[in-house]
Amino acid sequence: SARSRPARRSLAPGLRRPSPDPPMNELGFEFEHPWVLIFLALLPLYSWLRGKSGQAAALLYPDVGLLRAVSSPVREAAGSLRVFLRLATVAALIVAIAGPRTVSKEIERETEGLDIMLVVDLSWSMMALDMSTPREEVTRWQASYTVIQDFIAKRTDDRIGAVVFSGKPYLLSPITINRDWVSKGVDRMHIGIIREAGTAIGDGVAMALDRMKNLKGKNSKVLILLTDGDDNMSKAILPVPSAELAAALGIRMYTVGLGKNEPTVLPQFDIRTGKIIRDPFGKTIPMQTINPANYEMLDKMAKLTNGRFFRALDKDELSRVYEEISRLERTEVKIRESVTFESHRYAWIIAAFTLLLAELLLGLYRPRAP
């Protein structure tokens, strides 16, 4: 027999597809009527009563030898083999009536996931240290890296891709269900790996949209733009028109602006490794002053696509921003549990009849001793 129980959580529009996670099987053994096993406790009592000696019968007869010739005693000891087989037969029948069975539970997960494209700014200004704390020196990219990796790890039922940009955009990963691939791609990034200096926000968004427009299915499509500057290098399309294109394609945008709303000093760093260069005293060497992000532009881009704009001044705020985006963009997961029972009753019935047959054969070939 089998039964199934559907369950649902967190609704969002999108295409249903099987989850990459394998179904889980939970095996267990149980009895359909466990109360019947109480009768097993009566078998030791029966054995004890069966083995007790009653009062010997008295009969006056001149020669008991004549009686031995026509009859034999019927009493058996409690520990005899035939009594054991009889008790084992009854015990097997009791277990069979209790209904031993194996329970197999299969959990199937169906998800209506999202297609998420991360558009991440790798311009040189991401080396600014204005997100540091009194205890820790943190660049904008270091804070972003940690939060992005955590976001990727938590979106277990979604497809994710990534575009990185500085003065020119590059496709880091197409939309894929392989989160590890995207995570490893982000892990290889550092500031300076894109040698074209500047900030091409419009071109970066356009490249992401180009990868999303032909995706099959009706999945909800989301683009998350993370930047700390203003567009100064886009050639194909400017930021606001790129947001208008996203709106036309039905892609919702969340824009995140990093850093303080004031000019910030950028330290010198090695573009080959993305590490800060320090003087002999361990202090940073100022390289140039950079302007803040264009928050008005980012806000407008988000509103054009029915998304939201966020600001983050430090790592904790940035983490809360991505948590808020995760809360807004939930994935529907349907869980169906199928419970199957495999009965073992007939095996115990066969065992009982085998024991009974053994007792009968023993009685035929091994008569009870006088």
Side-chain angles (χ1 to χ4, degrees), residues 29 41 48 58 82 133 148 162 183 188 198 256 329 353 365:
F29 185 83
W48 179 71
R82 290 190 63 189
T133 65
I148 289 172
S183 179
R188 293 193 298 268
V256 183
E329 294 294 339
F353 277 105
Y365 293 101

Side-chain angles (χ1 to χ4, degrees), residues 185-220:
V186 174
D187 192 54
R188 293 193 298 268
M189 295 299 101
H190 64 78
I191 305 305
I193 197 171
I194 300 178
R195 297 304 172 88
E196 295 88 355
T199 305
I201 296 175
D203 288 350
V205 172
M207 177 176 285
L209 296 177
D210 184 63
R211 289 288 174 163
M212 300 180 76
K213 66 181 182 181
N214 295 323
L215 291 175
K216 296 181 180 180
K218 299 179 181 179
N219 297 38
S220 182

Side-chain angles (χ1 to χ4, degrees), residues 29-178:
F29 185 83
E30 67 176 24
F31 290 94
E32 185 177 2
H33 309 294
W35 60 270
V36 177
L37 298 177
I38 297 176
F39 290 102
L40 290 175
L42 300 178
L43 297 183
L45 178 62
Y46 168 78
S47 177
W48 179 71
L49 294 176
R50 182 69 177 79
K52 283 183 65 66
S53 297
Q55 293 183 352
L59 177 64
L60 297 177
Y61 202 80
D63 188 358
V64 295
L66 296 175
L67 291 178
R68 291 195 186 99
V70 297
S71 65
S72 61
V74 296
R75 186 178 302 277
E76 297 177 3
S80 69
L81 180 59
R82 290 190 63 189
V83 173
F84 170 78
L85 291 174
R86 190 173 306 158
L87 293 176
T89 300
V90 176
L93 288 174
I94 292 174
V95 172
I97 295 172
R101 61 188 184 182
T102 299
V103 182
S104 177
K105 180 186 293 185
E106 184 176 354
I107 302 177
E108 297 178 356
R109 302 172 73 247
E110 294 179 347
T111 64
E112 295 185 5
L114 309 176
D115 287 331
I116 302 175
M117 183 64 84
L118 304 175
V119 182
V120 182
D121 191 343
L122 287 184
S123 60
W124 291 10
S125 58
M126 292 287 283
M127 288 298 294
L129 294 168
D130 58 341
M131 302 187 80
S132 300
T133 65
R135 296 182 179 180
E136 183 182 15
E137 185 180 75
V138 180
T139 67
R140 293 175 179 177
W141 168 240
Q142 288 172 332
S144 302
Y145 167 84
T146 303
V147 173
I148 289 172
Q149 291 285 37
D150 185 61
F151 178 82
I152 293 172
K154 290 180 178 178
R155 305 301 299 195
T156 56
D157 297 303
D158 302 315
R159 298 194 299 181
I160 299 179
V163 168
V164 294
F165 67 91
S166 183
K168 184 178 179 180
Y170 290 89
L171 179 67
L172 183 64
S173 171
I175 294 284
T176 176
I177 197 66
N178 190 344

Side-chain angles (χ1 to χ4, degrees), residues 119-123 125-126 140 144 165 199-201 224-231 254-259 292-295 297-298 301 309-310 312 318 322:
V119 182
V120 182
D121 191 343
L122 287 184
S123 60
S125 58
M126 292 287 283
R140 293 175 179 177
S144 302
F165 67 91
T199 305
I201 296 175
I224 304 175
L225 169 64
L226 174 68
T227 182
D228 69 337
D230 193 4
D231 190 285
Y254 293 98
T255 57
V256 183
L258 286 181
N294 189 338
Y295 300 118
M297 178 193 70
L298 295 176
M301 292 175 70
F309 163 67
F310 300 91
L318 184 60
Y322 275 79

